[in-house]
Amino acid sequence: MEIGISKENVNKVGDILQKVLSNQHVLYQKLRNFHWNVTGKEFIELHKFFEDSYNSLSDDIDVVAERIRSLGLNAKGTMAEYLELADLKESPGKYPDAGSMTKELLNNNELLIVQLRESSNLCGDLGDSGNEDVLIGLMENHEKQAWMLRSMT
Ligand SMILES: [Fe+2]
């Protein structure tokens, strides 16, 4: 395979994308959890918002996995690998109130914005402008999510 990026750099970009994919899966499952378990006066609004959010994240997840495949690498596809690689944390057995859910999601989105900003720059430095562009697009999606969550809290 010859796409104008050294094998070493392809592997580095692959590692960056696998981390993004892992964090996306933790956030995706968290959104489903919150969609199911949210309670309170804003139930319908948040129940729907969380559903819209995980559906849009599902599209992003597929993009990242297929970008990894386009580099000639396997896309990690197991929960065990995601949980090992992800920075986002889960809280098994805990069912936060609606306000804590939106705060936690805001926090997670901001962490991903910072990480995607750094990762996109790194892809540029590694000569992979395609994945730099993809990660900038993802960052913009999380910036919008963060804005909406911030407006709710
Ligand atoms: Fe549902």
Side-chain angles (χ1 to χ4, degrees):
M1 185 172 135
E2 181 47 65
I3 56 169
I5 308 171
S6 70
K7 183 66 191 154
E8 195 192 343
N9 285 4
V10 161
N11 288 336
K12 283 183 188 164
V13 172
D15 288 345
I16 291 169
L17 295 178
Q18 302 279 13
K19 196 180 235 321
V20 172
L21 188 64
S22 301
N23 278 321
Q24 285 176 317
H25 273 91
V26 173
L27 182 58
Y28 177 85
Q29 192 54 40
K30 192 174 290 192
L31 285 162
R32 296 212 72 135
N33 178 2
F34 289 177
H35 165 77
W36 296 325
N37 289 298
V38 67
T39 56
K41 285 197 176 65
E42 293 144 353
F43 169 80
I44 282 292
E45 212 177 315
L46 289 174
H47 180 70
K48 284 181 183 156
F49 177 75
F50 296 155
E51 182 172 8
D52 289 345
S53 301
Y54 69 65
N55 282 332
S56 128
L57 186 56
S58 168
D59 291 341
D60 289 352
I61 283 173
D62 205 50
V63 167
V64 173
E66 291 176 6
R67 291 300 300 178
I68 296 170
R69 295 293 297 131
S70 302
L71 291 173
L73 305 167
N74 283 119
K76 291 185 194 299
T78 69
M79 297 310 294
E81 287 163 303
Y82 296 147
L83 288 173
E84 198 184 306
L85 271 178
D87 306 289
L88 299 190
K89 298 283 171 258
E90 297 189 308
S91 306
K94 291 194 180 144
Y95 301 95
D97 60 36
S100 304
M101 284 180 178
T102 52
K103 274 196 198 101
E104 181 173 343
L105 291 172
L106 172 58
N107 195 285
N108 284 188
N109 273 279
E110 287 187 344
L111 192 146
L112 293 185
I113 291 165
V114 172
Q115 207 167 69
L116 286 163
R117 195 183 304 285
E118 288 168 1
S119 298
S120 62
N121 287 335
L122 199 50
C123 286
D125 294 343
L126 292 166
D128 189 341
S129 48
N131 283 315
E132 178 184 15
D133 179 61
V134 168
L135 294 185
I136 289 170
L138 297 180
M139 181 187 72
E140 289 167 353
N141 293 347
H142 288 288
E143 284 176 337
K144 184 169 180 184
Q145 278 281 304
W147 157 58
M148 290 195 280
L149 288 160
R150 214 175 281 125
S151 304
M152 291 176 202
T153 55

